[in-house]
Amino acid sequence: MDDNKSPNGERGGCIRLQIIEQNKQQSDNWGSSILFEPQRLASDPISEADGGTSRRPAVQAPEKKLTLFALRLAVLEKMASSLGAMGFIWATVVLLGGFAITLDKTDFWFITIILLIEGARIFSRSHELEWQHQATWSLTDAGIDSFRMLRSSSHCLLRRIKDFFHSFSTLQPQRHHDRELKGSTNVPKLTEQKSLGLPSRKWTTSDVPLLPYARWVFLTKNISKLLYWLQLSSASACMSLSLYKLIKQNFGDISKGDSDKRNRKSALNIFYALAFVEAMLFLIEKAYWEWKVIRYKLLEEVNNECELGPSGMVSIKRFFYDAYSKCVNGSIFDGLKMDLVSFGMELLASESNDEQLIGATILWKFSANERFSGDTLRKIGTSISVMERLVDMLNWKDPQEEEIRRSAAEILSKLAGKKQNSLRVAGIPGAMESISSLLHNSRSCDRAADEICEKEMVHDRENYEFSAFNLLGLLILKKLAHDPDNCAKIGNTRGLLEKIVDFTLAGERLLSANHAAESQILAVKRSLQVVKMLVSTTGTTGKSLRKDISEIVFTISNIREILRYGSKHATLQKLGIEILTSLALEEDATERIGSTGGVLKELFHIILNEKSEAQNHVRVVAGEALSMLACESERNCNRILKLNVLAKLVEGLQHPDLLINAARILRNLCTYAGTDHFIELREVTAAAHTVLRAIMSEENKLQEAMLGLAAQIFRFMSSQESSIMFEQTSIKEEDLAKKLVQIMKQYQHPPIRVPRIRRFTIELTIWMMKDKEKNVHIFKDLGMERELENVKETTSELESFNIFSGTIGLSRQSTTVHSLVETALDLLANAPNPATKHRI
């Protein structure tokens, strides 16, 4: 077993592979070095998104205007109700109880009429709220047909009607007339069944005929209008009658000496005053409502500030009525404690699909809004029950629940972008299975169209937006995959890896189309991003994922199709190549990639053919992938040699975009191809001139790559050939020796950006000393021995690896730097003294 292979088959016993996004503005602009130098881990963008120290300033909640408006209305309502109750008690106990016999006939009938009017108004007020509410909040008018009932003492009649008509759900009070709800909102997809003319099992509440005949008269929306105008007319009549009696003061024959009659007059004045003030307060309340809602358009203003869109009016009105209901039924301050996020979370737990849709829509809109997303996601993330509900909604495959399911997926996609929330989401039992249910690929899942198509309305499958759910599912997985623990859960979810890989399929027809469907390309991109993150996971989890993904027979072949036909989609090609690079960390996967027909050929096609400037980054990662595939793989090196690309790789050393990776590929070929290809590899010596000049003139990564290649190229040259080469380049061996000593002095300690530069320098020094004896004396005179002794004291693990993953070294070198130093020192120590040799 090679000592640079771990027993488990993973190169260098890989603990972690951390793919780090490359900084586009590198100091030397020579390309990617993700795997060939150690990288300090950058701060996690997801962690920063959690808030940290940079918290946004608090945003004033627009819905506070509604809760304050509800409070003011409730104050007027309670004042009117209290005065009405006092007036009723005064009339029944004092007037009709104490003065019933002595009351004038006119006053008796005035009191009776006022009480009847007040009773009718109270009755019409409570039921107008419910009937008007049903008339406007319906599936046809606003997309909603279920609201909670105002808990007043007079809703028994409505409860009986609800028992009879099962379509009536819990109701919510409403204190305005039909004009205020005109031009409501767009009908959600929940109502598409009706718009398509399909049979419905549920009454639309505004169309319920209470009697089999006289349909127009007894529609609920018309009854609500009747009740609304009844309370307005009754309040006006009550105020008019009371005011008339207060002005006229005609309470019958009341002599000045009769105290009983004087008391009766005072009692009547009090009653008429109470009735007048109560009716006036009610009309003031109505006028205030009309001014704020109709003229000032308060609801529309709040909806615009919340940026909920046209459909948001449903949610805003519903929220206001709940706030008003709490102010009326409880403390007047109860409504002030409400906010739209908590309201949406509350509706999410409802048993009504319509209420769930309102709640999910509110949370979705606020989660996507830059101003409100932080507080909204923080509040949702701290409620396990809400997150469990959202996860459960992902499994709802009834076409009528499509909009709810989509909203839940949108919210979870936002939640998954926060690190702590992503851990909580993934920790919910069955979460991964629920997310997996979002993925539906018709190309491979044409079995009766999944559970959705087994529903009642089979032809709804054509209108069901599978692509939207696919994109959302992949987006959620992509965000969850930032955490290694979540990656393990994704890998352990039955059938999920196969689904993800299936979305990476993009054939010639899709990739070559001039106007390919954006959703299809995006699905491929997101699936590739998810796979890339999975194969770059840490330790045993990463090893297991790379093994499982590489064993899926479509993984590599799908990427090959992208490489072959995806010239118009450089981003997809780059992602596919990065996946191959990560998979190449596993010995078995490296062999699978190399043995899959056309993969190596397509990679070379990408790096060796002229590309636009925009696609240079694809060439860089392709070269990196080939370097990885050729590293320590004799079979892949043989396959590359059969492609007859050596000459083009040598030419590639002339192109700035290919310099580093071409040098690495050539070095790996020279190192690992085996002795059977000695004659073929001699072709690489044609690059000696270019390599030597680069060593003398360049710095950093390019210099390191050229030093590594030089140490291998010169092995294929005889002493005479090397002398000719030095003459042709006008570079003396003394000059090269000076440069090597200078490099050793420059890097007194192992450098992070060029971790192998001292190793390669020592290897080239050893070759030069072995090539010509005079070079030993040159190095001795230049002080190379002292520099080598320094290396012995400063060498570290950093110099012992071919490949790095973050700060973890992979693919340990078979020869240590310490042993190279010992070899070089032995050559320097055993060199004969020139003076002694001359005397002999």
Side-chain angles (χ1 to χ4, degrees), residues 352-517:
S352 164
N353 284 351
D354 300 319
E355 292 185 346
Q356 291 161 357
L357 178 57
I358 296 177
T361 302
I362 292 174
L363 297 180
W364 170 27
K365 294 286 188 179
F366 272 38
S367 299
N369 189 302
E370 186 178 352
R371 289 193 300 152
F372 309 124
S373 61
D375 292 335
T376 302
L377 295 176
R378 194 175 298 113
K379 199 161 190 175
I380 297 174
T382 55
S383 176
I384 298 298
S385 60
V386 173
M387 288 198 294
E388 288 177 346
R389 184 65 161 174
L390 291 170
V391 168
D392 180 58
M393 286 177 171
L394 300 184
N395 296 302
W396 295 2
K397 298 183 178 180
D398 191 321
Q400 294 188 53
E401 298 169 336
E402 177 185 359
E403 197 70 16
I404 301 173
R405 188 188 189 208
R406 181 170 183 173
S407 298
E410 292 276 8
I411 297 167
L412 286 172
S413 71
K414 298 294 182 182
L415 277 173
K418 304 280 187 178
K419 186 172 184 179
Q420 291 301 321
N421 290 340
S422 73
L423 295 175
R424 294 185 185 116
V425 170
I428 296 173
M432 292 302 175
E433 288 77 6
S434 297
I435 296 170
S436 177
S437 70
L438 293 173
L439 305 181
H440 175 89
N441 197 332
S442 58
R443 293 173 300 197
S444 61
C445 303
D446 241 347
R447 336 174 180 95
D450 208 19
E451 293 179 36
I452 298 176
C453 308
E454 296 172 6
K455 294 292 179 183
E456 214 173 291
M457 294 168 286
V458 179
H459 52 278
D460 257 16
R461 179 191 179 191
E462 298 177 1
N463 300 317
Y464 201 88
E465 294 189 34
F466 291 106
S467 61
F469 289 107
N470 290 336
L471 292 175
L472 287 170
L474 292 169
L475 179 59
I476 294 171
L477 290 171
K478 172 188 168 184
K479 292 184 176 181
L480 292 178
H482 279 92
D483 187 89
D485 293 334
N486 292 344
C487 291
K489 293 174 182 177
I490 292 173
N492 293 331
T493 302
R494 183 179 179 183
L496 182 52
L497 289 180
E498 288 81 358
K499 281 187 175 183
I500 296 171
V501 169
D502 189 52
F503 281 98
T504 63
L505 174 62
E508 180 181 6
R509 183 176 180 182
L510 175 62
L511 295 173
S512 301
N514 292 325
H515 303 287

Side-chain angles (χ1 to χ4, degrees), residues 2-6 9-13 36 584-588 590-591 626-638 640 664-665 667-674 800-803 809-815:
D2 295 339
D3 56 1
N4 61 341
K5 299 272 188 174
S6 63
E10 184 174 357
R11 300 186 182 184
F36 298 101
L585 290 169
E586 302 297 325
E587 186 176 3
D588 292 341
T590 301
E591 175 59 26
L626 286 167
S627 300
M628 281 291 298
L629 292 170
C631 184
E632 301 179 356
S633 176
E634 184 176 347
R635 290 185 177 181
N636 280 345
C637 287
N638 293 337
I640 291 173
R664 287 170 178 166
I665 296 169
R667 180 183 185 278
N668 287 337
L669 290 175
C670 294
T671 306
Y672 304 111
S800 301
F801 298 94
N802 283 319
I803 302 167
L810 313 176
S811 182
R812 182 179 289 274
Q813 299 275 4
S814 57
T815 305

